[in-house]
Amino acid sequence: MSTQTSAPTTGQPAGAAHNPPAVGRSVVFRIKRCQGPGQASYWQDFKVKIPQNANIISCLQQIALDPVTTDGTRTVPVVWDSGCLEEVCGSCTMLINGKVRQSCSCLLDAIAPNEGDVVTLEPMSKFPVVRDLWVDRSRLFHNLARVKAWVPIDGTYNLGSGPRETPQDQETRYVLSTCMSCGCCLEACPQFNKEEKPADWDHAFIGAHAISQARLFNTHGTGRELAPQRLEVLAGRGGVNDCGNAQNCVKVCPKKIPLTESIAAIGRAVTIHKIKQFFGA
Amino acid sequence: MPGANEKRVIVVGGGLAGLAASIRVAEAGVPVDLFSVVPVKRSHSVCAQGGINACNDVARQQGYSEYEHFDETIYGGDFQADQHPVLEMANMAPRIIDLLDRMGVPFNRTSEGYRDLRLFGGSLFKRTHFAGATTGQQLLYGLDEQTRRYESEGKVTKYEFWEFLWPVVVDGKCVGIVAQDQRTMQIRSFRADAVVMATGGNGLVFGKSTQSVICTGAAAARCYQAGAWMGNPEMIQVHPTAIPGADKTRLMSESARGEGGRVWVPRNKGDARRPKDIPEGERYYFLEERYPKYKNLVPRDIATREIFSICVNDGLGVGGQRQVYLDLTHLPASTHHKLEGILEIYKKFAGEDPQFEPMRIFPSVHYSMGGLYTSFAKGSYNPAEPRTKHLSGSGAPIGSAVGQGLLPGAPANAMTNIPGLYAFGEVNFAYHGANRLGANALLSCIFDGLFCGMSVLGHVADGKGAAGVAQGEYDRVVAQEEAKVKALTDNAGKGDSASPETNPYAIAKEMGDEMTEACTVVRSEGRLKQALATLSSLKERFKRVRLKDSAIWTNQSLLYTRAVGDMLTVAEAIAKGSLERRESRGAHYREDFKERNDDAFMKTTLAKYDPATSSTSIEFVPIDATLIKPTARTYGKSEGAVSTKAAASPHN
């Protein structure tokens, strides 16, 4: 079922990294397409002559220039989501050879160094497809609101600086704060499933990213004001206890965020929160 | 549904400027409809790396002040910016940092727990606050979180994946917009008592740039075609240090030099040795030799021209190519750690580790100083005579209370020539003049949102707004936009769709190549005229453009193609402004007019669009230079005649 972490990547046999990539080679892109919600998916192959320093995006751009499949059918350009192309915005996340990652930072020299190598592209499976490789990740942002992932400031007027912070605490928070809401951790998670209806979002597993953001704000001097409310949500249905401890999330996180540490920390905090509640503290 | 008399504000764009504006307006109790072509958390502001400038307690005790920050920004912009807005921005900067700090932005800390500072271009003081090397991302997230908070309270309604198509202007006033859902392709109108454009830059006009794929400049171009003026469109920043790539160029932050990175090339042409094998004496640290005071931290326009000239004129580029070394290998691990975000980018995309190998970089289009023309209402600080000189360490000549540069809440601040239509952040032309200093962009975006957000509220409170405007006025604009879509989709799939002649991607690529060649580091009359001719032939070809896709669902081909048409309009304004400005100033360097000419051109380039002829006209209007008199802008360059002149400059 979950091919994200275990499937070997096509075109990257062991030791391939030692061979210089073939100059002027052509690579086949096998792309899973879908013309819209409720429509059937199908595969199309495109042959692309690989430019120097190519990433997946530059290959998709080449296909868009004149989309003709390997069997000679002229078709419509592939639809995909992208933004910064520097792996800081999270937009262009997709399954590349079965593995979830950003397509901008996926270089062809690394994954398809040989003539005729095949690269498969699929939309993320845990979110509804809008069209082709573009998925609707609204739920991911909705879940940030569920855990009130913000600092409850008193408004934007001049009230002096924020709380002082040790460099160590800053370091911890900074790493957590580099989460770009790409959804890799959710795609790889066996407990996080596709929920088409927004009405179900509040009961389904919230996901590693939101748990980690709760930790981020619970750690902040002012942000911890809302910690009980966050923990209440995370103690409930779809909260931290739904984590099955597969630890896939931390393996696929492109920003190397210690997601499992966050889950453990929040798990402990939820327990303490519940004990306090039990004793009416 | 909102009642007919309820005041509402539309914000278009969810980067730093748009989010700061949304927060400020929503906080005051006026509901905000926030439009963005991407989930706002993915806006291009995430790409900003180095930091955000503000006077701070440490620098203040070393002789720095808000006034000095203002002075640096004006000097850095080569005296092209209106001065009062810049003064206000510098005044408010420390309070903006405090606010971001309160929002939980993880600014780097000193061992005592205070906010750490780094050195940045165009200053001799440490006044740049930062969060690792992903400061833009961290600031955006801080504002994104606050916006989500207001959204969950019902004060902000987000329209993500909605594209702005046209402002609704009735009786000369902006009373709403027409927008399109990029998924369902639905086109509809939205009423508002004021509209804030915060749609960023136009890097894609140049094909490859450091900007995100969404930075087409189309939204601003649509306002321009609807009658909003542009200011200084020719002022395009080419960042000195970017990583070339197949799909785009990627920024290598100025903070790399701020933290001690050194730019060099081998002294001997054609030296094929590995960089580590080239001894110190055979390395040409050309920025350090030419600018002994600012060294590698001269402003971007200067660093860019020097790097360009070393490669193109002197043929000293590494490997004979257009690239120079940016060397961080001598820096300690702790410094590398502070720069981790950007070093990772280099490692990922260039395949080498900058901790051990000098990076190979070259200038690339990065930022638009110019943009929609906006007005302002002067504040109380109006000295009888502009100062010529402000000595470091002499203390600020004025107090630093907010309100002295601009009048807070005055509807005119950051408003375009169309009442009710505002322009915030990179999309406007204010603050940065002819060259932007590093780490001033994040500041100007948030300043616009917070300070000029009050002006939006002022306008909304003042005017009649959208109440009473007939629905027919909105339907008319919807019909106009539907007709444009129909014209494009009617052509889909017709003719030889493989032909580059009518291929939207091919037209865009030719535009990008031509603009990069003619309209970036070095410009000249002949080349610009040639570019304008190319652009008009591209415009002709665009009339016959063939869409690749006629789908009525999530048709990206349509969205892209429509934007290309708008980008051609912007490109023409940029090229025309460059042609008419017959001098050199900041980022605008004319090899046929190498000197700055204050008498004729210390003015704003005003670009106006004539719908009848679909063309741009250029005029020059006076600027507000009542606070600082222009001086020679040399940054202490140590070369013959120039250095004599420089001795008279207060910046030495």
Side-chain angles (χ1 to χ4, degrees):
Chain A
M1 171 64 206
S2 129
T3 52
Q4 293 77 29
T5 52
S6 51
T9 52
T10 338
Q12 197 181 22
H18 300 298
N19 303 325
V23 177
R25 69 195 182 280
S26 290
V27 164
V28 172
F29 282 81
R30 182 160 295 158
I31 301 175
K32 190 177 187 182
R33 308 199 58 177
C34 173
Q35 290 308 308
Q39 305 211 38
S41 295
Y42 57 97
W43 291 86
Q44 277 185 335
D45 288 3
F46 300 89
K47 198 174 202 176
V48 177
K49 196 164 176 326
I50 304 299
Q52 223 188 344
N53 295 327
N55 56 0
I56 297 286
I57 299 284
S58 54
C59 295
L60 285 170
Q61 286 171 342
Q62 288 239 2
I63 294 172
L65 208 55
D66 187 28
V68 178
T69 62
T70 45
D71 59 13
T73 313
R74 177 151 276 128
T75 180
V76 292
V78 179
V79 171
W80 76 93
D81 195 3
S82 64
C84 71
L85 310 187
E86 297 182 2
E87 210 195 63
V88 281
C89 83
S91 297
C92 67
T93 312
M94 58 181 75
L95 296 176
I96 301 167
N97 292 335
K99 189 177 186 301
V100 68
R101 58 183 296 187
Q102 279 70 53
S103 48
C104 66
S105 56
C106 180
L107 303 184
L108 268 291
D109 283 357
I111 65 152
N114 306 310
E115 173 70 29
D117 278 346
V118 176
V119 175
T120 64
L121 304 181
E122 296 167 78
M124 296 167 88
S125 68
K126 302 292 176 74
F127 300 97
V129 172
V130 177
R131 192 176 170 190
D132 291 339
L133 301 171
W134 183 5
V135 296
D136 178 355
R137 281 172 279 183
S138 310
R139 179 180 166 202
L140 189 159
F141 295 110
H142 172 85
N143 286 352
L144 294 180
R146 273 172 78 189
V147 293
K148 295 190 178 359
W150 53 72
V151 174
I153 59 166
D154 287 348
T156 59
Y157 292 86
N158 307 328
L159 297 167
S161 64
R164 258 161 82 180
E165 187 175 35
T166 65
Q168 292 76 16
D169 286 348
Q170 184 272 344
E171 188 96 352
T172 308
R173 286 204 312 117
Y174 174 70
V175 175
L176 300 179
S177 188
T178 57
C179 171
M180 54 186 179
S181 300
C182 64
C184 283
C185 58
L186 307 176
E187 181 67 24
C189 173
Q191 309 307 123
F192 189 93
N193 299 307
K194 192 196 255 186
E195 302 291 347
E196 302 268 7
K197 292 196 225 88
D200 297 327
W201 290 352
D202 287 346
H203 314 295
F205 181 45
I206 197 162
H209 79 298
I211 296 172
S212 190
Q213 289 289 301
R215 178 182 171 214
L216 167 64
F217 291 97
N218 284 359
T219 316
H220 183 263
T222 319
R224 67 170 60 104
E225 182 64 28
L226 297 177
Q229 295 180 46
R230 293 190 193 104
L231 295 174
E232 193 59 29
V233 169
L234 291 169
R237 224 177 122 192
V240 71
N241 289 329
D242 284 23
C243 167
N245 203 28
Q247 309 204 1
N248 289 356
C249 52
V250 76
K251 289 177 205 146
V252 295
C253 177
K255 295 294 147 190
K256 303 189 181 85
I257 298 168
L259 293 167
T260 42
E261 274 177 34
S262 292
I263 292 169
I266 289 293
R268 284 192 299 274
V270 159
T271 309
I272 295 165
H273 173 75
K274 282 313 205 190
I275 293 170
K276 274 189 186 162
Q277 260 184 347
F278 183 78
F279 290 106
Chain B
M1 289 299 286
N5 293 321
E6 190 196 34
K7 302 281 190 183
R8 293 188 84 80
V9 166
I10 282 176
V11 175
V12 184
L16 289 175
L19 295 186
S22 299
I23 292 165
R24 187 65 125 184
V25 171
E27 178 182 83
V30 177
V32 173
D33 294 314
L34 173 58
F35 291 77
S36 171
V37 292
V38 291
V40 295
K41 197 178 176 179
R42 311 204 193 284
S43 302
H44 178 63
S45 303
V46 288
C47 288
Q49 299 171 341
I52 175 167
N53 294 333
C55 182
N56 55 82
D57 289 342
V58 176
R60 200 185 298 283
Q61 290 167 56
Q62 294 167 342
Y64 197 68
S65 65
E66 284 85 349
Y67 193 91
E68 186 84 15
H69 182 189
F70 157 62
D71 186 306
E72 281 170 359
T73 306
I74 295 294
Y75 182 68
D78 219 348
F79 301 93
Q80 170 78 352
D82 288 311
Q83 297 185 352
H84 275 82
V86 178
L87 174 64
E88 189 61 35
M89 176 176 80
N91 273 342
M92 195 181 181
R95 282 177 285 274
I96 288 175
I97 304 295
D98 277 348
L99 174 61
L100 295 164
D101 189 12
R102 284 170 49 220
M103 288 179 180
V105 171
F107 286 113
N108 275 52
R109 298 286 161 169
T110 63
S111 54
E112 216 179 319
Y114 292 105
R115 295 178 299 235
D116 201 1
L117 298 157
R118 66 165 47 126
L119 202 55
F120 239 73
S123 185
L124 299 172
F125 291 87
K126 284 192 179 181
R127 43 85 162 124
T128 303
H129 303 72
F130 62 100
T134 61
T135 311
Q137 179 195 43
Q138 293 306 311
L139 300 192
L140 184 72
Y141 290 0
L143 297 179
D144 172 70
E145 289 145 9
Q146 296 301 320
T147 306
R148 186 165 294 106
R149 177 183 173 204
Y150 283 130
E151 185 189 17
S152 70
E153 293 171 8
K155 295 173 180 166
V156 171
T157 308
K158 279 185 193 155
Y159 292 85
E160 290 174 331
F161 296 118
W162 279 77
E163 179 174 340
F164 167 86
L165 297 184
W166 209 259
V168 178
V169 181
V170 179
D171 296 334
K173 279 196 317 190
C174 184
V175 290
I177 67 165
V178 166
Q180 181 170 32
D181 185 330
Q182 297 186 324
R183 295 152 300 182
T184 66
M185 306 304 279
Q186 181 200 9
I187 296 178
R188 58 161 287 203
S189 62
F190 296 84
R191 282 172 183 263
D193 300 278
V195 172
V196 178
M197 300 301 295
T199 51
N202 52 32
L204 254 67
V205 167
F206 294 83
K208 286 183 194 175
S209 77
T210 61
Q211 300 197 0
S212 296
V213 297
I214 48 177
C215 301
T216 60
R222 289 166 191 162
C223 293
Y224 176 57
Q225 292 166 84
W229 302 333
M230 289 201 346
N232 303 332
E234 72 276 21
M235 293 306 177
I236 297 290
Q237 177 159 83
V238 181
H239 195 287
T241 61
I243 316 162
D247 51 343
K248 73 171 294 195
T249 57
R250 294 179 173 83
L251 176 64
M252 183 41 59
S253 171
E254 191 168 301
S255 56
R257 284 171 285 139
E259 297 285 355
R262 305 176 74 186
V263 174
W264 63 278
V265 289
R267 258 186 212 283
N268 308 316
K269 207 183 254 191
D271 190 334
R273 283 175 294 179
R274 287 154 36 106
K276 274 184 287 192
D277 299 334
I278 300 175
E280 198 65 17
E282 291 174 45
R283 298 176 176 194
Y284 186 13
Y285 295 98
F286 53 98
L287 289 176
E288 297 173 29
E289 287 189 25
R290 292 175 187 180
Y291 300 90
K293 202 172 176 91
Y294 285 84
K295 300 190 174 75
N296 292 288
L297 287 173
V298 284
R300 292 174 177 177
D301 56 329
I302 294 176
T304 290
R305 273 193 295 277
E306 297 288 0
I307 292 171
F308 190 86
S309 164
I310 278 279
C311 296
V312 178
N313 303 336
D314 305 340
L316 285 172
V318 175
Q321 294 182 17
R322 290 187 170 196
Q323 52 187 15
V324 300
Y325 288 128
L326 171 55
D327 198 342
L328 272 60
T329 56
H330 58 288
L331 298 174
S334 58
T335 305
H336 288 148
H337 182 61
K338 277 200 271 184
L339 296 171
E340 197 174 342
I342 53 171
L343 302 190
E344 279 292 315
I345 289 179
Y346 190 84
K347 210 152 86 177
K348 271 189 176 133
F349 291 96
E352 284 179 339
D353 190 342
Q355 294 190 56
F356 308 109
E357 289 289 325
M359 297 183 274
R360 278 165 300 167
I361 53 91
F362 194 70
S364 172
V365 169
H366 178 58
Y367 185 88
S368 16
M369 276 79 71
L372 293 172
Y373 181 79
T374 50
S375 58
F376 61 91
K378 264 188 201 179
S380 56
Y381 180 60
N382 285 298
E385 279 290 312
R387 286 172 180 268
T388 47
K389 189 164 173 160
H390 173 64
L391 283 181
S392 290
S394 63
I398 56 162
S400 59
V402 172
Q404 293 178 314
L406 297 179
L407 191 61
N413 292 322
M415 193 194 268
T416 68
N417 56 302
I418 300 175
L421 183 66
Y422 288 81
F424 287 8
E426 187 175 349
V427 78
N428 75 25
F429 89 115
Y431 315 114
H432 308 298
N435 171 64
R436 176 174 67 75
L437 290 187
N440 260 354
L442 300 182
L443 176 62
S444 62
C445 287
I446 300 175
F447 170 74
D448 271 339
L450 294 179
F451 187 88
C452 302
M454 293 190 285
S455 297
V456 173
L457 290 164
H459 172 80
V460 168
D462 256 11
K464 221 160 51 105
V469 176
Q471 184 57 34
E473 300 284 358
Y474 294 90
D475 297 343
R476 181 178 51 79
V477 185
V478 170
Q480 166 200 310
E481 292 305 311
E482 282 173 341
K484 279 187 205 165
V485 168
K486 189 170 181 305
L488 284 171
T489 45
D490 280 355
N491 261 351
K494 282 190 194 158
D496 177 10
S497 65
S499 158
E501 183 67 16
T502 52
N503 186 320
Y505 300 96
I507 292 174
K509 183 171 188 311
E510 286 175 49
M511 168 179 62
D513 290 348
E514 183 69 1
M515 289 300 287
T516 304
E517 275 300 309
C519 227
T520 50
V521 186
V522 179
R523 301 166 172 182
S524 70
E525 188 98 6
R527 190 65 188 83
L528 287 164
K529 284 186 170 155
Q530 190 190 330
L532 281 163
T534 306
L535 289 173
S536 54
S537 86
L538 290 173
K539 273 167 91 173
E540 281 307 310
R541 277 167 58 188
F542 185 78
K543 287 180 186 159
R544 293 174 284 121
V545 72
R546 302 262 186 249
L547 240 57
K548 296 278 175 186
D549 191 352
S550 58
I552 51 166
W553 176 267
T554 322
N555 188 337
Q556 281 184 331
S557 184
L558 167 72
L559 307 176
Y560 178 77
T561 304
R562 182 173 51 198
V564 171
D566 297 308
M567 283 152 73
L568 284 165
T569 312
V570 183
E572 195 173 74
I574 295 169
K576 269 213 173 130
S578 308
L579 178 68
E580 297 298 329
R581 181 172 283 281
R582 291 182 174 84
E583 63 153 358
S584 291
R585 182 182 298 271
H588 172 75
Y589 176 74
R590 285 282 298 259
E591 60 182 3
D592 43 355
F593 297 95
K594 291 187 172 126
E595 297 299 317
R596 195 174 84 189
N597 180 347
D598 287 346
D599 291 339
F601 292 110
M602 201 174 87
K603 291 178 176 162
T604 295
T605 313
L606 199 61
K608 293 180 182 172
Y609 183 79
D610 178 7
T613 57
S614 307
S615 65
T616 285
S617 66
I618 298 287
E619 58 192 275
F620 292 93
V621 297
I623 62 164
D624 158 32
T626 52
L627 305 181
I628 301 175
K629 264 188 205 156
T631 48
R633 181 177 180 266
T634 60
Y635 285 94
K637 183 164 186 171
S638 67
E639 262 179 14
V642 182
S643 60
T644 343
K645 234 197 257 174
S649 164
H651 295 271
N652 288 282

